[in-house]
Amino acid sequence: ALRPSGRKLLAYSHAPAAFGPYSFGGNGPWLAPVLDQEPDIVWRAVRTGDPAALVLPAMDCDQPFPTDVSHRESRSFGDAASSGASLLLSGWGGDEAASYGWRGVLAEALVTGNWHYLAAELRALGSAGAAWGALSPFLLGGRTLALVHRLTGRAPPPPGIAHLAASLLRPEHVAGHSLVQTAMPPDARRIRVSLLRGHGLTRRMEQWALLGARHGIGVGFPLLDRRVVEFALSLPSRLFVRDGWSRRLFRDAMDGILPEALRWKTGKEDLVVEDPLYVAALRALLTERLEGWRERGAIADLFDLDAVSARLASLPPAHVLARTIDTGRGDWPAVERAGSLMRAFRVMAYIDQHG
């Protein structure tokens, strides 16, 4: 529809902003062959502009998410609107259905007796450690898995950002709530349905609808089209993992459409990896803000501000976090702690602005 009228397709993606000598990679090398192949696509990178507005943004009054005009998503919508776009398409929803990966697929094969398929895929994984990682989370509960790690001398997985952020709440608000991850069922279709019903997709769709409405832009999610989702859910799980490749169904569907290097790419870059370092870079500002918030009852009643202050003080300098993020080596738990603080500060900013 665009090509006959001489119009271009605008493509936006978050791109890391350099911090000193650190550039954090990004997906530019993977986008280049697509842009070479498709000259009608105009790519526009969206980078962090104001670090202070990233950590302490203006928050939406209805939901605790950033609507600051300098925030990356707001800037994407604003640029699209000023360029005459009326519809923004998002790939959200693919991981849950059409481009589903590997979660629970091999465990399902084990419990349903699909031995030939399971043996072939375990051989393709190539190591006992990879096989354990593909099976154990779907067969063992969180506490059982932790016990197995202790008995076998395996290092337990570190707490995630959500767990770390929850630990900054006052104890009475988490009492009675287990933060131990329960096992997902060894049933990949049930997992897909659960993910489709999860709060992550709902939150994303609601938030982008709000942002789009403020810029006069509609938002569509092609991979959440009912026909696509129902077709993906109707397929046997073994089609999503084959010959050692996850997302195999989508990889096969993209034959002749995506460049081969991209079609067989493994892993996904986190396009905003540098965000946590700004918590350390803005330590003085955040410390000052925390002191002021001690007088805000709603914030002080929800958060253990002493714990927040101690975690903020424990962070290494921003350039050390930047080096860890850029190289993948160093104190990665400190990066996770900084990420948990960013979540906490955004909730506190929401309460401060609208509580």
Side-chain angles (χ1 to χ4, degrees), residues 58-148:
M59 302 291 284
D60 181 76
C61 62
D62 296 315
Q63 298 189 31
F65 80 100
T67 55
D68 198 288
V69 293
S70 67
H71 194 262
R72 288 181 296 253
E73 292 177 355
S74 292
R75 288 165 56 201
S76 298
F77 276 96
D79 185 86
S82 66
S83 300
S86 59
L87 177 66
L88 186 144
L89 300 177
S90 168
W92 273 70
D95 286 353
E96 292 77 9
S99 62
Y100 186 74
W102 59 273
R103 282 178 285 186
V105 172
L106 300 190
E108 178 185 312
L110 176 65
V111 301
T112 57
N114 195 345
W115 309 117
H116 180 74
Y117 166 76
L118 177 63
E121 295 305 324
L122 290 179
R123 285 194 299 270
L125 287 177
S127 74
W132 171 261
L135 294 171
S136 61
F138 310 96
L139 301 172
L140 304 175
R143 289 188 173 87
T144 305
L145 194 56
L147 176 61
V148 171

Side-chain angles (χ1 to χ4, degrees), residues 63 65 201-211 221:
Q63 298 189 31
F65 80 100
L201 281 179
T202 302
R203 185 180 68 245
R204 169 64 63 175
M205 295 170 75
E206 289 178 349
Q207 292 174 354
W208 278 29
L210 285 169
L211 282 174
F221 299 86

Side-chain angles (χ1 to χ4, degrees), residues 148-207:
V148 171
H149 282 143
R150 287 198 298 272
L151 293 176
T152 59
R154 292 174 177 266
I161 287 181
H163 191 149
L164 288 169
S167 69
L168 296 174
L169 298 173
R170 296 186 67 84
E172 59 266 28
H173 296 300
V174 293
H177 298 278
S178 175
L179 297 177
V180 177
Q181 182 178 358
T182 58
M184 289 183 281
D187 183 331
R189 187 181 185 279
R190 281 179 58 194
I191 294 174
R192 298 200 297 277
V193 171
S194 176
L195 292 172
L196 286 165
R197 291 174 172 170
H199 72 280
L201 281 179
T202 302
R203 185 180 68 245
R204 169 64 63 175
M205 295 170 75
E206 289 178 349
Q207 292 174 354

Side-chain angles (χ1 to χ4, degrees), residues 278-317:
Y278 293 119
V279 177
L282 297 169
R283 193 190 323 256
L285 170 65
L286 297 175
T287 299
E288 178 183 349
R289 192 64 58 89
L290 273 176
E291 291 306 309
W293 282 340
R294 290 182 184 275
E295 305 302 319
R296 289 296 305 271
I299 295 176
D301 288 346
L302 179 61
F303 285 93
D304 181 345
L305 295 183
D306 289 335
V308 176
S309 180
R311 185 171 296 177
L312 180 61
S314 75
L315 297 179

